[in-house]
């Protein structure tokens, strides 16, 4: 499959000195195909509080929390991560601008250039297994010219809610309830059933995102630590992925197979500042 990837020439290392980054040690900015209301593309998006996004495919709002990065709402940040193993949270809420099959929206990280170095085969196999537990239907391609680690959005989110406008959940709440059965049917009434069915491209092709409902996708991760640039591997510990990625950002990207963008957010780590000459 093809997948959208930001133009690296348009996403050079941020001009802002890392010492001034408000969310050290990361700088999160919108990709070229995503608009963030009230935020210039060369400035960081908020962390810990919702912000509005719009693309050719989607309009809505996003909430990002990274355990090991500074937040714009420190008290809510501390409360969310207190006593748990979660390392990040993403909540996406909004409406689609055109109907689209659920088998056509993938989410994850895509890279504009080849990786600096793929992990050893054994480590790659372990990483694949770890991510597959989080994201059924995983596509893990670390060796092509446009590497990607992506999976179907509707099958990846830990919880998903489909609501009439005005009835959607508050995305700042720590818990968002599953609410899809009334729209998609009893066969996907629970989180586990929905993730199993909608994580399978063949089965997900029978379902569609409409343009009238408000969709909420709540995802959290206990493996990927964006603040440290590491992945927690069972029986291994922390694996530093920054040398593997090279001089380019991680991303949180949702895209169709043809490259239409739901949202695209680029995550730079301050460790790259030396390579950028800052």
């Amino acid at each position: 499959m093809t997948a959208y990837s930001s133009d690296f020439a348009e996403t050079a290392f941020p001009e802002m000195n890392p010492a001034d980054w408000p969310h050290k040690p990361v700088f999160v900015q919108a990709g070229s195909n995503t608009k963030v209301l009230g935020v210039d593309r060369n400035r960081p998006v908020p962390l810990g509080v919702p912000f509005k996004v719009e693309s050719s495919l989607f309009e809505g709002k996003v909430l990002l929390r990274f355990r090991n990065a500074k937040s714009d709402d420190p008290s809510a940040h501390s409360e969310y991560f207190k006593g748990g193993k979660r390392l990040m949270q993403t909540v996406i809420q909004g409406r689609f601008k055109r109907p689209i099959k659920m088998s056509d929206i993938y989410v994850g990280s895509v890279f504009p250039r080849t990786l600096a170095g793929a992990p050893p085969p054994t480590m790659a196999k372990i990483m694949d297994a770890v991510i597959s537990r989080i994201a059924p239907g995983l596509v893990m391609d670390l060796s092509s010219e446009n590497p990607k680690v992506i999976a179907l959005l509707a099958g990846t989110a830990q919880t998903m809610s489909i609501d009439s406008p005005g009835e959607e959940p508050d995305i700042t709440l720590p818990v968002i309830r599953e609410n899809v059965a009334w729209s998609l049917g009893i066969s996907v009434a629970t989180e586990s059933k929905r993730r199993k069915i909608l994580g399978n491209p063949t089965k997900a092709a029978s379902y569609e995102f409409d343009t009238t409902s408000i969709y909420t996708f709540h995802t959290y991760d206990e493996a990927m630590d964006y603040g440290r640039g590491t992945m927690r591997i069972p029986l291994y510990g922390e694996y530093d992925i920054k040398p593997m990625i090279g001089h380019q950002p991680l991303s949180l990207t949702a895209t169709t197979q043809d490259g239409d963008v739901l949202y695209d957010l680029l995550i730079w780590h301050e460790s790259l500042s030396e390579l950028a000459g800052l």
Side-chain angles (χ1 to χ4, degrees), residues 2-272:
T2 59
Y4 169 79
S5 178
S6 300
D7 182 348
F8 187 75
E10 297 182 6
T11 55
F13 191 83
E15 294 180 1
M16 182 185 293
N17 191 304
D20 299 324
W21 288 4
H23 310 119
K24 286 173 63 67
V26 300
F27 183 103
V28 185
Q29 67 180 128
S32 59
N33 286 17
T34 301
K35 295 180 181 179
V36 176
L37 186 65
V39 179
D40 183 84
R41 185 169 166 270
N42 294 318
R43 305 293 294 181
V45 303
L47 291 186
V49 296
F51 56 92
K52 294 183 178 180
V53 298
E54 184 172 6
S55 65
S56 62
L57 181 62
F58 184 83
E59 61 179 348
K61 51 189 175 181
V62 176
L63 172 67
L64 298 177
R65 289 187 175 116
F66 300 149
R67 176 186 284 272
N68 291 307
K70 291 184 178 179
S71 172
D72 294 309
D73 188 343
S75 60
H77 176 96
S78 298
E79 184 65 25
Y80 180 79
F81 290 111
K82 181 176 64 177
K85 297 181 179 180
R86 295 180 186 180
L87 298 171
M88 64 89 70
Q89 178 197 31
T90 305
V91 188
I92 312 296
Q93 184 179 85
R95 72 170 189 89
F96 289 82
K97 294 184 176 181
R98 63 176 172 85
I100 187 167
K101 291 183 180 297
M102 294 190 182
S103 58
D104 197 29
I105 297 286
Y106 283 79
V107 64
S109 284
V110 296
F111 300 92
R113 57 170 60 175
T114 56
L115 300 181
T122 300
M123 182 59 67
K125 185 176 181 179
I126 295 173
M127 291 171 65
D128 182 77
V130 170
I131 300 174
S132 293
R133 290 190 308 177
I134 304 168
L138 173 76
V139 176
M140 185 171 177
D141 168 17
L142 301 179
S143 59
S144 72
E145 292 184 359
N146 295 116
K148 61 189 72 72
V149 181
I150 54 177
L152 289 176
L153 174 61
T156 299
Q158 270 83 359
T159 57
M160 177 172 161
S161 185
I162 305 174
D163 301 274
S164 299
E167 298 180 2
E168 62 273 17
D170 179 354
I171 67 172
T172 64
L173 295 177
V175 177
I176 295 176
R177 304 296 181 186
E178 185 82 4
N179 181 34
V180 302
W182 74 272
S183 177
L184 302 182
I186 194 67
S187 62
V188 292
T190 65
E191 296 173 17
S192 59
K193 289 181 178 179
R194 188 254 311 159
R195 296 185 72 192
K196 182 177 181 179
I197 292 174
L198 299 185
N200 181 310
T202 301
K203 295 180 179 179
S206 299
Y207 298 85
E208 186 174 80
F209 295 115
D210 63 42
T211 60
T212 57
S213 300
I214 303 298
Y215 292 85
T216 305
F217 307 96
H218 176 215
T219 304
Y220 54 85
D221 196 338
E222 297 179 358
M224 184 63 206
D225 189 335
Y226 288 93
R228 297 182 186 275
T230 61
M231 175 177 282
R232 291 185 179 177
I233 306 294
L235 305 179
Y236 178 88
E238 277 194 306
Y239 179 73
D240 189 351
I241 65 172
K242 296 187 292 295
M244 175 185 77
I245 293 168
H247 187 218
Q248 58 183 328
L250 285 164
S251 78
L252 288 172
T253 304
T255 173
T256 69
Q257 296 189 56
D258 293 330
D260 290 331
V261 173
L262 181 71
Y263 61 87
D264 182 35
L265 300 169
L266 311 179
I267 307 166
W268 294 92
H269 195 273
E270 65 178 0
S271 62
L272 293 173

